[in-house]
Amino acid sequence: MKSLVNSLDEAVTESLSGLSYAYPQLDYEKSHRIFFMPNLQDQKDKVSLICGGGSGHEPFAAGFVGNGMLTASVAGSIFAAPPSQHISFCIERLSQHSPAGILVIIPNYTGDCLNFGIAVEKARQNGAKVTEIIVNDDCSIPIKEQGVAGQRGLTGLLFVIKIAGALAEEGLPLEEIYDVTQNVLKNMATYAVGLTTCAIPGQPPMFDLAEDEIECGMGVHGEAGYEKKKLRSCSDVVSLMLKHLCDSLSLVSGDTVAAIINNFGALSQLEQGIVVHDLVNQLGNLNIHVERIYSGVLMTSLNSAGIHITLLKLPEHYIDTFIGCLDSPTNAPKWPGCAYSVRSKAKQRATQDKVTRSNVKQVGIEIDASMRLLFEKCLTRACKQLIEKETAINNLDRGCGDGDCGSTLKRLASDILQRLSSLPMSHPSSFFSELAHIAEEQMGGTSGALYCLLFTSFATDLASAQEKEGWPSISARALRNGLCCLIKYGKAKPGDRSMVDVINAVCEACEETLNKKTNCICDTVMTAAWQACEATKKMTPR
């Protein structure tokens, strides 16, 4: 598909740079892909708001930075969550100006939950006053069929950001803002319909969609939705969407709502206007009053054509608060509301700082030269295999994901091989700490966070290990603790059809063969791993 890019690797950086030129008063931290509102020192006793996620959704989230909305946004690579250290940098800087606290608004995608979660937990550990809220407004998948991750966070994020931002601008305390946003979540739902799939520049479309089909419940990362239906008139499609939304919110005659109609990015403005027309008229026929409506290209999915409809129910005891916040002024450049949205009554600063790694401390047990050589051979072979299998893994991922898993693992493997001579192989704890850093830096998104957590857990466990325990016991315990860490933060459990199934099988094999010879342990582990891998073919994905 045609695209206007110079280099895919530089696309996000150049796009953010372009935004900073268009809105030069925004404070752009280039090395961490963060936009801050200007004059942070004027925040004083106001709560700060942070949100962000993968790129490819422009103008979300940087376009909503400004007084009365976000204090800062953090951008990741295309469809990948920002690294936790970038989020931590953002929180740390805002903490210098925000004694009132920070509200972190997180889209409910696993990668975002993991990376923002890491940053929030580290900030709390350092004494920062931070509260997070996870937005999960997608109502396209029936509750009984939802996986462990739950409902996705979609354009309802904008209602949360606008209302929370207005309350923060008024000087309300963090606890009160959090309570109000929780009530926003309870009264909000989003439904999506895609007309075309999207494609990352240089790659094929995410999935196949026939010319006469629409994708109901399509995700903002370009992933397939809940079901396909035949393309019908705009009025019929809006009616389908409203049925799900009204059921989700229990809307009845006499209710009042606010609405967001978001363009995936490639739907024409002509069609978008027709969607708004049909939405308002059909809600009117149900005697549901639309008090405010916001329409535009707000949270896109690259070059996909489609529409999100988000409804915010306005209960009687919250309507004045919600409407007051929605009407509150903001200078965030991409918020679509303005004075005409209400029914009438009669600095760019790009920092070139680079993130540098300090000298790695050697921690824990030191291994001898022969074991070090074995360790290096195993690692080298694993990395070469990942690089060789890039296309095969991408093809597997394309069947149920965004088709980049092989490329992501290749980045990890390539960087490990490039740095092999400088890695602290003599001290496994220090080595896995470095591996965690490489995974987070090179992989990003969900995969980077998962591998970062796994390797960090290994490093922590190995730091306290005693050589007299014996390496079979040490490695089995480290692997089990690493798996428990993945389950805690990533939510996938054995049986959910994920990498956890194979790791769990390896853990059990290691634990059952602790007192056997090395060759026996290796054979048992290899057999268990392949059997667990093959078993996932017949499992239901969760």
Side-chain angles (χ1 to χ4, degrees), residues 162 292 294 322-330 335 338 341-342:
K162 184 65 180 70
R292 295 288 184 275
Y294 307 98
F322 288 176
I323 291 297
C325 289
L326 292 174
D327 291 347
S328 179
T330 177
W335 174 246
C338 64
S341 301
V342 181

Side-chain angles (χ1 to χ4, degrees), residues 11-301:
V12 172
T13 301
E14 291 176 356
S15 180
L16 293 174
S17 176
L19 184 70
S20 73
Y21 294 149
Y23 302 104
Q25 289 192 38
L26 290 176
D27 186 354
Y28 178 36
E29 170 56 59
K30 182 178 180 180
S31 62
H32 295 83
R33 293 176 173 173
I34 298 171
F35 277 92
F36 295 100
M37 57 183 281
N39 304 316
L40 286 178
Q41 67 276 7
D42 295 340
Q43 280 292 96
K44 296 181 180 178
D45 295 325
K46 295 178 183 176
V47 170
S48 292
L49 271 62
I50 299 173
C51 190
S55 296
H57 308 303
E58 294 72 25
F60 177 84
F64 302 106
V65 173
N67 290 315
M69 290 194 79
L70 291 177
T71 317
S73 68
V74 191
S77 298
I78 296 176
F79 293 167
S84 68
Q85 62 263 38
H86 291 190
I87 305 165
S88 293
F89 178 92
C90 182
I91 293 174
E92 183 177 342
R93 180 165 171 190
L94 291 183
S95 296
Q96 299 169 10
H97 303 283
S98 304
I102 300 169
L103 179 64
V104 181
I105 302 169
I106 307 173
N108 191 33
Y109 274 88
T110 302
D112 293 310
C113 289
L114 288 166
N115 285 284
F116 277 93
I118 291 169
V120 167
E121 292 302 322
K122 286 181 177 178
R124 286 182 179 140
Q125 187 179 32
N126 293 329
K129 186 177 181 181
V130 182
T131 298
E132 81 281 358
I133 183 167
I134 298 175
V135 178
N136 54 345
D137 52 312
D138 180 15
C139 69
S140 64
I141 303 173
I143 294 175
K144 62 182 180 181
E145 297 183 39
Q146 289 173 14
V148 292
Q151 299 167 287
R152 294 171 293 196
L154 301 174
T155 47
L157 284 156
L158 302 182
F159 273 139
V160 174
I161 290 168
K162 184 65 180 70
I163 291 173
L167 297 175
E169 192 67 15
E170 291 177 16
L172 267 68
L174 180 59
E175 295 76 15
E176 289 188 32
I177 296 174
Y178 176 82
D179 288 343
V180 174
T181 54
Q182 285 293 334
N183 282 290
V184 173
L185 287 182
K186 293 174 185 176
N187 289 284
M188 182 174 67
T190 299
Y191 195 89
V193 165
L195 277 66
T196 65
T197 59
C198 75
I200 294 173
Q203 295 188 16
M206 294 288 193
F207 60 91
D208 294 326
L209 187 62
E211 286 294 323
D212 63 343
E213 288 181 333
I214 57 175
E215 190 76 19
C216 299
M218 186 167 154
V220 76
H221 292 157
E223 69 270 31
Y226 175 67
E227 60 183 344
K228 291 178 173 60
K229 289 185 177 292
K230 291 297 181 182
L231 177 62
R232 293 177 278 177
S233 68
C234 181
S235 179
D236 287 343
V237 172
V238 170
S239 178
L240 165 72
M241 299 173 79
L242 278 180
K243 183 183 184 307
H244 287 271
L245 290 162
C246 290
D247 289 347
S248 177
L249 295 173
S250 301
L251 291 174
V252 296
S253 175
D255 281 340
T256 302
V257 299
I260 289 175
I261 293 86
N262 171 60
N263 189 324
F264 275 19
L267 194 74
S268 71
Q269 295 300 298
L270 181 77
E271 294 163 283
Q272 181 154 354
I274 297 170
V275 173
V276 176
H277 166 270
D278 285 341
L279 174 68
V280 174
N281 279 279
Q282 290 187 30
L283 285 173
N285 292 337
L286 297 171
N287 195 32
I288 295 172
H289 176 63
V290 184
E291 186 67 28
R292 295 288 184 275
I293 192 159
Y294 307 98
S295 175
V297 180
L298 306 172
M299 189 176 184
T300 59
S301 186

